[in-house]
Amino acid sequence: MLRLARCQRPTNTVVPAQAGTHNTVSKRYCVYLLASNRYGTLYLGVTSDLIKRTWQHREGFVEGFANKHNIKRLVWYEVHDDAYAAITREKQIKKWQRSWKKT
């Protein structure tokens, strides 16, 4: 009969940290577009937490333009790895004609 030995990790072994091997969570930035209803008022923004931000808009925790115009429906978003890229894209889209944003 063949017996398999259990693999046991020695309790006194220390594994040194190696540079560049850390599991870092990279932040993702979203450019998002909200609407009050179909063909209604549009709101464009940037956030690092899209779920939280859309919830804040929907529940009315965000004061200002979006709350005043009852803008609560997420209609489009785009993900970026860099905050600068997301902000640049937001500014680019804000210059577009309304008809381009609807398509």
Side-chain angles (χ1 to χ4, degrees):
M1 176 188 278
L2 191 65
R3 290 186 64 158
L4 298 174
R6 288 187 182 179
C7 292
Q8 293 182 350
R9 185 184 290 177
T11 57
N12 60 354
T13 302
V14 177
V15 179
Q18 297 176 5
T21 61
H22 296 53
N23 291 332
T24 58
V25 177
S26 62
K27 220 170 202 184
R28 308 286 293 219
Y29 298 90
C30 295
V31 179
Y32 64 97
L33 186 66
L34 301 175
S36 58
N37 54 38
R38 189 172 202 161
Y39 307 113
T41 308
L42 298 175
Y43 176 84
L44 186 67
V46 175
T47 185
S48 62
D49 189 347
L50 184 62
I51 294 171
K52 179 181 176 183
R53 190 65 173 158
T54 53
W55 177 82
Q56 289 171 339
H57 280 292
R58 192 178 63 242
E59 298 300 320
F61 289 114
V62 178
E63 294 294 327
F65 182 84
N67 196 18
K68 179 181 174 184
H69 294 279
N70 200 29
I71 301 171
K72 299 179 182 213
R73 184 177 298 174
L74 178 67
V75 294
W76 174 86
Y77 70 94
E78 188 175 273
V79 180
H80 296 270
D81 292 327
D82 180 32
Y84 182 76
I87 292 167
T88 303
R89 181 71 166 148
E90 177 197 24
K91 290 179 180 182
Q92 180 186 29
I93 295 170
K94 282 189 177 185
K95 292 179 183 178
W96 290 3
Q97 296 176 10
R98 179 181 169 80
S99 59
W100 295 353
K101 294 177 191 175
K102 291 191 315 188
T103 56

